[in-house]
Amino acid sequence: LDAETLHDTVLAVSGKLNLAAAGPGFRDFNYTEAYAPIYDYITPDKPELWRRSIYRFIVRTTPHQFMSTLDCPNPANLTPARVQTTTALQALTLSNNDFMLQQARYLSERIEGETTESSARITRAFELCFQRKPSAEELSSAAQLVESEGLFTLCRMLLNANEFVYVD
């Protein structure tokens, strides 16, 4: 998935995607007027910042680090085609970025609010992330993970899985 689609998909799976259409864009940064303007990106933590990426205000002079890592084109340059890479930095970003950690937490809370039994929670996590039920082997491994580390860890892992990030 491209950076914007991945961002939107993570919000949709966690149940936080704000579907409000049209209107002004959102600014996921703090702006400071100085000799040169300073744009400090923040972790989107409220509904008005959980809109689709198409409504994200883009700062041409200061690319968003999360989006850039996932190959979002540099807005300061015209780009005839997107660069597509697979790097360790992308996997680390998907696993450790504050936005991803926050959304994994929201996903686990969503699932805990929908189901009560452990295997049902695991099945629901797979359904939301992969649009399928887990295999018997996946269910067994996930049950061990949830028992030892908690549902949040499973959600974090699923959001970083190749099956979530890549389209076959």
Side-chain angles (χ1 to χ4, degrees):
L1 300 175
D2 60 53
E4 298 91 342
T5 304
L6 181 63
H7 172 269
D8 297 354
T9 303
V10 168
L11 287 170
V13 167
S14 71
K16 296 299 181 184
L17 182 62
N18 177 346
L19 295 173
F26 67 91
R27 297 173 186 235
D28 57 351
F29 55 83
N30 290 321
Y31 173 78
T32 305
E33 182 68 46
Y35 175 71
I38 299 171
Y39 299 93
D40 183 32
Y41 286 98
I42 58 173
T43 301
D45 60 352
K46 47 192 168 188
E48 56 269 18
L49 300 178
W50 292 331
R51 296 183 70 200
R52 291 178 47 226
S53 293
I54 195 168
Y55 297 111
R56 188 171 66 84
F57 188 88
I58 295 175
V59 179
R60 293 187 187 277
T61 58
T62 311
H64 193 288
Q65 189 174 10
F66 175 76
M67 300 298 267
S68 295
T69 302
L70 299 174
D71 295 332
C72 188
N74 183 339
N77 300 321
L78 294 175
T79 306
R82 284 180 182 245
V83 175
Q84 292 182 340
T85 63
T86 302
T87 67
L89 188 55
Q90 291 167 341
L92 290 169
T93 296
L94 292 176
S95 186
N96 299 311
N97 178 272
D98 288 339
F99 170 74
M100 294 300 291
L101 293 172
Q102 179 188 62
Q103 295 307 313
R105 195 167 299 108
Y106 288 138
L107 175 57
S108 66
E109 290 169 3
R110 174 185 181 179
I111 293 167
E112 288 169 345
E114 293 177 1
T115 60
T116 56
E117 197 263 319
S118 182
S119 67
R121 287 179 174 172
I122 294 166
T123 299
R124 185 66 177 139
F126 272 77
E127 288 172 346
L128 287 169
C129 292
F130 300 156
Q131 303 298 300
R132 66 171 177 83
K133 295 188 182 309
S135 68
E137 184 180 345
E138 289 171 331
L139 185 60
S140 173
S141 296
Q144 291 174 6
L145 178 66
V146 169
E147 185 178 321
S148 64
E149 303 294 327
L151 184 61
F152 163 77
T153 303
L154 175 65
C155 292
R156 182 180 178 195
M157 182 204 70
L158 294 177
L159 293 177
N160 195 35
N162 281 348
E163 190 171 345
F164 185 80
V165 177
Y166 292 95
V167 178
D168 284 335

